[in-house]
PDB file of all heavy atoms in Angstrom:
ATOM      1  N   ARG A 401       9.836 -79.828 -53.816  1.00 96.00           N
ATOM      2  CA  ARG A 401       9.669 -78.728 -54.758  1.00 96.00           C
ATOM      3  C   ARG A 401       9.330 -79.354 -56.100  1.00 96.00           C
ATOM      4  O   ARG A 401       9.983 -80.265 -56.576  1.00 96.00           O
ATOM      5  CB  ARG A 401      10.924 -77.923 -54.860  1.00 96.00           C
ATOM      6  CG  ARG A 401      10.905 -76.741 -55.818  1.00 96.00           C
ATOM      7  CD  ARG A 401      12.114 -75.832 -55.633  1.00 96.00           C
ATOM      8  NE  ARG A 401      13.352 -76.543 -55.688  1.00 96.00           N
ATOM      9  CZ  ARG A 401      13.990 -76.796 -56.873  1.00 96.00           C
ATOM     10  NH1 ARG A 401      13.486 -76.362 -57.986  1.00 96.00           N
ATOM     11  NH2 ARG A 401      15.140 -77.456 -56.833  1.00 96.00           N
ATOM     12  N   ARG A 402       8.291 -78.861 -56.742  1.00 96.00           N
ATOM     13  CA  ARG A 402       7.770 -79.471 -57.967  1.00 96.00           C
ATOM     14  C   ARG A 402       8.866 -79.431 -59.098  1.00 96.00           C
ATOM     15  O   ARG A 402       9.452 -78.456 -59.360  1.00 96.00           O
ATOM     16  CB  ARG A 402       6.519 -78.716 -58.484  1.00 96.00           C
ATOM     17  CG  ARG A 402       5.957 -79.237 -59.830  1.00 96.00           C
ATOM     18  CD  ARG A 402       5.441 -80.614 -59.683  1.00 96.00           C
ATOM     19  NE  ARG A 402       4.811 -81.116 -60.919  1.00 96.00           N
ATOM     20  CZ  ARG A 402       5.164 -82.236 -61.495  1.00 96.00           C
ATOM     21  NH1 ARG A 402       6.087 -83.035 -61.026  1.00 96.00           N
ATOM     22  NH2 ARG A 402       4.536 -82.578 -62.625  1.00 96.00           N
ATOM     23  N   GLY A 403       9.037 -80.639 -59.671  1.00 95.00           N
ATOM     24  CA  GLY A 403      10.018 -80.797 -60.767  1.00 95.00           C
ATOM     25  C   GLY A 403      11.409 -81.070 -60.344  1.00 95.00           C
ATOM     26  O   GLY A 403      12.207 -81.412 -61.219  1.00 95.00           O
ATOM     27  N   ALA A 404      11.723 -80.992 -59.074  1.00 94.00           N
ATOM     28  CA  ALA A 404      13.101 -81.233 -58.630  1.00 94.00           C
ATOM     29  C   ALA A 404      13.411 -82.706 -58.629  1.00 94.00           C
ATOM     30  O   ALA A 404      14.598 -83.090 -58.859  1.00 94.00           O
ATOM     31  CB  ALA A 404      13.306 -80.683 -57.234  1.00 94.00           C
ATOM     32  N   THR A 405      12.433 -83.583 -58.467  1.00 95.00           N
ATOM     33  CA  THR A 405      12.644 -85.020 -58.469  1.00 95.00           C
ATOM     34  C   THR A 405      12.219 -85.650 -59.741  1.00 95.00           C
ATOM     35  O   THR A 405      12.907 -86.493 -60.328  1.00 95.00           O
ATOM     36  CB  THR A 405      11.948 -85.671 -57.257  1.00 95.00           C
ATOM     37  OG1 THR A 405      12.454 -85.070 -56.064  1.00 95.00           O
ATOM     38  CG2 THR A 405      12.219 -87.192 -57.191  1.00 95.00           C
ATOM     39  N   PHE A 406      11.030 -85.280 -60.213  1.00 96.00           N
ATOM     40  CA  PHE A 406      10.475 -85.802 -61.440  1.00 96.00           C
ATOM     41  C   PHE A 406      10.223 -84.626 -62.411  1.00 96.00           C
ATOM     42  O   PHE A 406       9.172 -84.017 -62.413  1.00 96.00           O
ATOM     43  CB  PHE A 406       9.127 -86.556 -61.237  1.00 96.00           C
ATOM     44  CG  PHE A 406       9.246 -87.780 -60.353  1.00 96.00           C
ATOM     45  CD1 PHE A 406       8.135 -88.206 -59.631  1.00 96.00           C
ATOM     46  CD2 PHE A 406      10.428 -88.486 -60.295  1.00 96.00           C
ATOM     47  CE1 PHE A 406       8.236 -89.346 -58.865  1.00 96.00           C
ATOM     48  CE2 PHE A 406      10.542 -89.629 -59.490  1.00 96.00           C
ATOM     49  CZ  PHE A 406       9.421 -90.072 -58.769  1.00 96.00           C
ATOM     50  N   PRO A 407      11.186 -84.269 -63.246  1.00 94.00           N
ATOM     51  CA  PRO A 407      11.031 -83.164 -64.221  1.00 94.00           C
ATOM     52  C   PRO A 407       9.878 -83.433 -65.157  1.00 94.00           C
ATOM     53  O   PRO A 407       9.479 -84.600 -65.370  1.00 94.00           O
ATOM     54  CB  PRO A 407      12.383 -83.137 -64.927  1.00 94.00           C
ATOM     55  CG  PRO A 407      13.372 -83.765 -63.977  1.00 94.00           C
ATOM     56  CD  PRO A 407      12.603 -84.791 -63.277  1.00 94.00           C
ATOM     57  N   ALA A 408       9.333 -82.372 -65.718  1.00 92.00           N
ATOM     58  CA  ALA A 408       8.161 -82.474 -66.572  1.00 92.00           C
ATOM     59  C   ALA A 408       8.360 -83.451 -67.722  1.00 92.00           C
ATOM     60  O   ALA A 408       7.475 -84.200 -68.149  1.00 92.00           O
ATOM     61  CB  ALA A 408       7.757 -81.116 -67.092  1.00 92.00           C
ATOM     62  N   GLY A 409       9.587 -83.462 -68.318  1.00 94.00           N
ATOM     63  CA  GLY A 409       9.851 -84.350 -69.427  1.00 94.00           C
ATOM     64  C   GLY A 409       9.746 -85.818 -69.079  1.00 94.00           C
ATOM     65  O   GLY A 409       9.425 -86.650 -69.939  1.00 94.00           O
ATOM     66  N   TRP A 410      10.002 -86.152 -67.854  1.00 96.00           N
ATOM     67  CA  TRP A 410       9.906 -87.534 -67.378  1.00 96.00           C
ATOM     68  C   TRP A 410       8.442 -87.972 -67.374  1.00 96.00           C
ATOM     69  O   TRP A 410       8.142 -89.143 -67.669  1.00 96.00           O
ATOM     70  CB  TRP A 410      10.524 -87.718 -66.000  1.00 96.00           C
ATOM     71  CG  TRP A 410      11.997 -87.432 -65.930  1.00 96.00           C
ATOM     72  CD1 TRP A 410      12.731 -86.749 -66.842  1.00 96.00           C
ATOM     73  CD2 TRP A 410      12.887 -87.834 -64.874  1.00 96.00           C
ATOM     74  NE1 TRP A 410      14.042 -86.670 -66.411  1.00 96.00           N
ATOM     75  CE2 TRP A 410      14.159 -87.292 -65.186  1.00 96.00           C
ATOM     76  CE3 TRP A 410      12.684 -88.527 -63.669  1.00 96.00           C
ATOM     77  CZ2 TRP A 410      15.290 -87.486 -64.364  1.00 96.00           C
ATOM     78  CZ3 TRP A 410      13.788 -88.683 -62.871  1.00 96.00           C
ATOM     79  CH2 TRP A 410      15.062 -88.161 -63.195  1.00 96.00           C
ATOM     80  N   ASP A 411       7.573 -87.079 -66.972  1.00 93.00           N
ATOM     81  CA  ASP A 411       6.163 -87.420 -66.800  1.00 93.00           C
ATOM     82  C   ASP A 411       5.485 -87.849 -68.118  1.00 93.00           C
ATOM     83  O   ASP A 411       4.510 -88.554 -68.080  1.00 93.00           O
ATOM     84  CB  ASP A 411       5.382 -86.240 -66.202  1.00 93.00           C
ATOM     85  CG  ASP A 411       5.750 -85.957 -64.762  1.00 93.00           C
ATOM     86  OD1 ASP A 411       6.138 -86.932 -64.017  1.00 93.00           O
ATOM     87  OD2 ASP A 411       5.688 -84.817 -64.317  1.00 93.00           O
ATOM     88  N   VAL A 412       6.005 -87.378 -69.214  1.00 92.00           N
ATOM     89  CA  VAL A 412       5.342 -87.655 -70.538  1.00 92.00           C
ATOM     90  C   VAL A 412       6.165 -88.648 -71.360  1.00 92.00           C
ATOM     91  O   VAL A 412       5.835 -88.895 -72.499  1.00 92.00           O
ATOM     92  CB  VAL A 412       5.135 -86.359 -71.331  1.00 92.00           C
ATOM     93  CG1 VAL A 412       4.181 -85.418 -70.573  1.00 92.00           C
ATOM     94  CG2 VAL A 412       6.472 -85.664 -71.603  1.00 92.00           C
ATOM     95  N   LEU A 413       7.174 -89.250 -70.755  1.00 96.00           N
ATOM     96  CA  LEU A 413       8.015 -90.207 -71.490  1.00 96.00           C
ATOM     97  C   LEU A 413       7.228 -91.473 -71.765  1.00 96.00           C
ATOM     98  O   LEU A 413       6.620 -92.098 -70.895  1.00 96.00           O
ATOM     99  CB  LEU A 413       9.256 -90.565 -70.634  1.00 96.00           C
ATOM    100  CG  LEU A 413      10.310 -91.442 -71.266  1.00 96.00           C
ATOM    101  CD1 LEU A 413      10.899 -90.770 -72.494  1.00 96.00           C
ATOM    102  CD2 LEU A 413      11.402 -91.769 -70.208  1.00 96.00           C
ATOM    103  N   ALA A 414       7.211 -91.928 -73.020  1.00 95.00           N
ATOM    104  CA  ALA A 414       6.490 -93.138 -73.417  1.00 95.00           C
ATOM    105  C   ALA A 414       7.036 -94.311 -72.611  1.00 95.00           C
ATOM    106  O   ALA A 414       8.277 -94.532 -72.540  1.00 95.00           O
ATOM    107  CB  ALA A 414       6.641 -93.389 -74.890  1.00 95.00           C
ATOM    108  N   GLY A 415       6.152 -95.114 -72.053  1.00 97.00           N
ATOM    109  CA  GLY A 415       6.543 -96.277 -71.231  1.00 97.00           C
ATOM    110  C   GLY A 415       6.523 -95.990 -69.759  1.00 97.00           C
ATOM    111  O   GLY A 415       6.447 -96.930 -68.983  1.00 97.00           O
ATOM    112  N   ARG A 416       6.536 -94.698 -69.382  1.00 98.00           N
ATOM    113  CA  ARG A 416       6.553 -94.328 -67.962  1.00 98.00           C
ATOM    114  C   ARG A 416       5.143 -93.957 -67.550  1.00 98.00           C
ATOM    115  O   ARG A 416       4.469 -93.140 -68.256  1.00 98.00           O
ATOM    116  CB  ARG A 416       7.516 -93.195 -67.703  1.00 98.00           C
ATOM    117  CG  ARG A 416       7.577 -92.738 -66.243  1.00 98.00           C
ATOM    118  CD  ARG A 416       8.554 -91.572 -66.136  1.00 98.00           C
ATOM    119  NE  ARG A 416       8.499 -90.885 -64.858  1.00 98.00           N
ATOM    120  CZ  ARG A 416       9.274 -91.034 -63.843  1.00 98.00           C
ATOM    121  NH1 ARG A 416      10.273 -91.933 -63.932  1.00 98.00           N
ATOM    122  NH2 ARG A 416       9.145 -90.378 -62.714  1.00 98.00           N
ATOM    123  N   ARG A 417       4.670 -94.491 -66.447  1.00 98.00           N
ATOM    124  CA  ARG A 417       3.327 -94.140 -65.947  1.00 98.00           C
ATOM    125  C   ARG A 417       3.409 -93.873 -64.434  1.00 98.00           C
ATOM    126  O   ARG A 417       4.238 -94.484 -63.735  1.00 98.00           O
ATOM    127  CB  ARG A 417       2.334 -95.309 -66.181  1.00 98.00           C
ATOM    128  CG  ARG A 417       2.227 -95.687 -67.630  1.00 98.00           C
ATOM    129  CD  ARG A 417       1.428 -96.918 -67.896  1.00 98.00           C
ATOM    130  NE  ARG A 417      -0.021 -96.724 -67.712  1.00 98.00           N
ATOM    131  CZ  ARG A 417      -0.972 -97.649 -68.022  1.00 98.00           C
ATOM    132  NH1 ARG A 417      -0.560 -98.864 -68.387  1.00 98.00           N
ATOM    133  NH2 ARG A 417      -2.214 -97.419 -67.844  1.00 98.00           N
ATOM    134  N   SER A 418       2.673 -92.886 -63.957  1.00 98.00           N
ATOM    135  CA  SER A 418       2.640 -92.523 -62.571  1.00 98.00           C
ATOM    136  C   SER A 418       1.341 -92.878 -61.945  1.00 98.00           C
ATOM    137  O   SER A 418       0.277 -92.710 -62.550  1.00 98.00           O
ATOM    138  CB  SER A 418       2.900 -90.968 -62.486  1.00 98.00           C
ATOM    139  OG  SER A 418       4.146 -90.608 -63.015  1.00 98.00           O
ATOM    140  N   TRP A 419       1.395 -93.360 -60.719  1.00 98.00           N
ATOM    141  CA  TRP A 419       0.200 -93.859 -60.018  1.00 98.00           C
ATOM    142  C   TRP A 419       0.014 -93.207 -58.676  1.00 98.00           C
ATOM    143  O   TRP A 419       0.985 -92.996 -57.951  1.00 98.00           O
ATOM    144  CB  TRP A 419       0.327 -95.384 -59.831  1.00 98.00           C
ATOM    145  CG  TRP A 419       0.598 -96.095 -61.150  1.00 98.00           C
ATOM    146  CD1 TRP A 419       1.825 -96.348 -61.690  1.00 98.00           C
ATOM    147  CD2 TRP A 419      -0.352 -96.632 -62.038  1.00 98.00           C
ATOM    148  NE1 TRP A 419       1.687 -97.001 -62.901  1.00 98.00           N
ATOM    149  CE2 TRP A 419       0.377 -97.178 -63.130  1.00 98.00           C
ATOM    150  CE3 TRP A 419      -1.746 -96.663 -62.060  1.00 98.00           C
ATOM    151  CZ2 TRP A 419      -0.276 -97.801 -64.203  1.00 98.00           C
ATOM    152  CZ3 TRP A 419      -2.378 -97.270 -63.126  1.00 98.00           C
ATOM    153  CH2 TRP A 419      -1.631 -97.855 -64.191  1.00 98.00           C
ATOM    154  N   LEU A 420      -1.238 -92.826 -58.400  1.00 98.00           N
ATOM    155  CA  LEU A 420      -1.532 -92.031 -57.196  1.00 98.00           C
ATOM    156  C   LEU A 420      -2.659 -92.731 -56.412  1.00 98.00           C
ATOM    157  O   LEU A 420      -3.725 -93.030 -56.977  1.00 98.00           O
ATOM    158  CB  LEU A 420      -1.963 -90.635 -57.601  1.00 98.00           C
ATOM    159  CG  LEU A 420      -2.350 -89.700 -56.450  1.00 98.00           C
ATOM    160  CD1 LEU A 420      -1.120 -89.378 -55.556  1.00 98.00           C
ATOM    161  CD2 LEU A 420      -2.932 -88.403 -57.035  1.00 98.00           C
ATOM    162  N   ALA A 421      -2.434 -92.943 -55.123  1.00 98.00           N
ATOM    163  CA  ALA A 421      -3.465 -93.472 -54.246  1.00 98.00           C
ATOM    164  C   ALA A 421      -4.022 -92.378 -53.380  1.00 98.00           C
ATOM    165  O   ALA A 421      -3.278 -91.532 -52.831  1.00 98.00           O
ATOM    166  CB  ALA A 421      -2.902 -94.579 -53.339  1.00 98.00           C
ATOM    167  N   ARG A 422      -5.330 -92.299 -53.269  1.00 98.00           N
ATOM    168  CA  ARG A 422      -5.983 -91.298 -52.429  1.00 98.00           C
ATOM    169  C   ARG A 422      -6.822 -91.996 -51.432  1.00 98.00           C
ATOM    170  O   ARG A 422      -7.505 -93.006 -51.668  1.00 98.00           O
ATOM    171  CB  ARG A 422      -6.866 -90.362 -53.277  1.00 98.00           C
ATOM    172  CG  ARG A 422      -6.182 -89.568 -54.350  1.00 98.00           C
ATOM    173  CD  ARG A 422      -7.166 -88.571 -54.938  1.00 98.00           C
ATOM    174  NE  ARG A 422      -6.631 -87.862 -56.080  1.00 98.00           N
ATOM    175  CZ  ARG A 422      -6.968 -88.043 -57.344  1.00 98.00           C
ATOM    176  NH1 ARG A 422      -7.889 -88.987 -57.644  1.00 98.00           N
ATOM    177  NH2 ARG A 422      -6.476 -87.337 -58.343  1.00 98.00           N
ATOM    178  N   LEU A 423      -6.827 -91.477 -50.201  1.00 95.00           N
ATOM    179  CA  LEU A 423      -7.676 -91.942 -49.116  1.00 95.00           C
ATOM    180  C   LEU A 423      -8.640 -90.839 -48.764  1.00 95.00           C
ATOM    181  O   LEU A 423      -8.267 -89.766 -48.347  1.00 95.00           O
ATOM    182  CB  LEU A 423      -6.845 -92.313 -47.903  1.00 95.00           C
ATOM    183  CG  LEU A 423      -7.577 -92.723 -46.656  1.00 95.00           C
ATOM    184  CD1 LEU A 423      -8.421 -93.987 -46.891  1.00 95.00           C
ATOM    185  CD2 LEU A 423      -6.624 -92.954 -45.477  1.00 95.00           C
ATOM    186  N   ARG A 424      -9.899 -91.123 -49.021  1.00 93.00           N
ATOM    187  CA  ARG A 424     -10.967 -90.102 -48.867  1.00 93.00           C
ATOM    188  C   ARG A 424     -10.601 -88.803 -49.545  1.00 93.00           C
ATOM    189  O   ARG A 424     -10.778 -87.691 -49.040  1.00 93.00           O
ATOM    190  CB  ARG A 424     -11.246 -89.887 -47.347  1.00 93.00           C
ATOM    191  CG  ARG A 424     -11.649 -91.149 -46.639  1.00 93.00           C
ATOM    192  CD  ARG A 424     -11.966 -90.953 -45.148  1.00 93.00           C
ATOM    193  NE  ARG A 424     -12.259 -92.225 -44.541  1.00 93.00           N
ATOM    194  CZ  ARG A 424     -11.362 -92.967 -43.913  1.00 93.00           C
ATOM    195  NH1 ARG A 424     -10.063 -92.621 -43.848  1.00 93.00           N
ATOM    196  NH2 ARG A 424     -11.705 -94.142 -43.374  1.00 93.00           N
ATOM    197  N   GLY A 425     -10.033 -88.938 -50.746  1.00 95.00           N
ATOM    198  CA  GLY A 425      -9.774 -87.771 -51.550  1.00 95.00           C
ATOM    199  C   GLY A 425      -8.382 -87.197 -51.392  1.00 95.00           C
ATOM    200  O   GLY A 425      -7.946 -86.337 -52.194  1.00 95.00           O
ATOM    201  N   GLU A 426      -7.667 -87.587 -50.320  1.00 97.00           N
ATOM    202  CA  GLU A 426      -6.306 -87.011 -50.005  1.00 97.00           C
ATOM    203  C   GLU A 426      -5.234 -87.960 -50.549  1.00 97.00           C
ATOM    204  O   GLU A 426      -5.287 -89.163 -50.300  1.00 97.00           O
ATOM    205  CB  GLU A 426      -6.177 -86.825 -48.540  1.00 97.00           C
ATOM    206  CG  GLU A 426      -7.082 -85.744 -47.953  1.00 97.00           C
ATOM    207  CD  GLU A 426      -6.831 -84.370 -48.551  1.00 97.00           C
ATOM    208  OE1 GLU A 426      -5.671 -84.051 -48.769  1.00 97.00           O
ATOM    209  OE2 GLU A 426      -7.833 -83.629 -48.852  1.00 97.00           O
ATOM    210  N   PRO A 427      -4.201 -87.388 -51.206  1.00 98.00           N
ATOM    211  CA  PRO A 427      -3.094 -88.211 -51.708  1.00 98.00           C
ATOM    212  C   PRO A 427      -2.341 -88.855 -50.527  1.00 98.00           C
ATOM    213  O   PRO A 427      -1.924 -88.158 -49.625  1.00 98.00           O
ATOM    214  CB  PRO A 427      -2.191 -87.218 -52.457  1.00 98.00           C
ATOM    215  CG  PRO A 427      -3.109 -86.043 -52.764  1.00 98.00           C
ATOM    216  CD  PRO A 427      -4.079 -86.010 -51.636  1.00 98.00           C
ATOM    217  N   VAL A 428      -2.163 -90.198 -50.606  1.00 98.00           N
ATOM    218  CA  VAL A 428      -1.501 -90.888 -49.508  1.00 98.00           C
ATOM    219  C   VAL A 428      -0.415 -91.859 -49.992  1.00 98.00           C
ATOM    220  O   VAL A 428       0.417 -92.288 -49.173  1.00 98.00           O
ATOM    221  CB  VAL A 428      -2.514 -91.666 -48.640  1.00 98.00           C
ATOM    222  CG1 VAL A 428      -3.457 -90.724 -47.907  1.00 98.00           C
ATOM    223  CG2 VAL A 428      -3.337 -92.690 -49.497  1.00 98.00           C
TER     224      VAL A 428
END
Side-chain angles (χ1 to χ4, degrees):
R401 181 168 54 86
R402 177 65 177 126
T405 302
F406 298 154
W410 298 16
D411 290 331
V412 297
L413 185 63
R416 179 181 167 100
R417 302 171 75 173
S418 299
W419 305 88
L420 179 66
R422 300 189 186 106
L423 176 62
R424 302 182 183 92
E426 293 298 319
V428 294

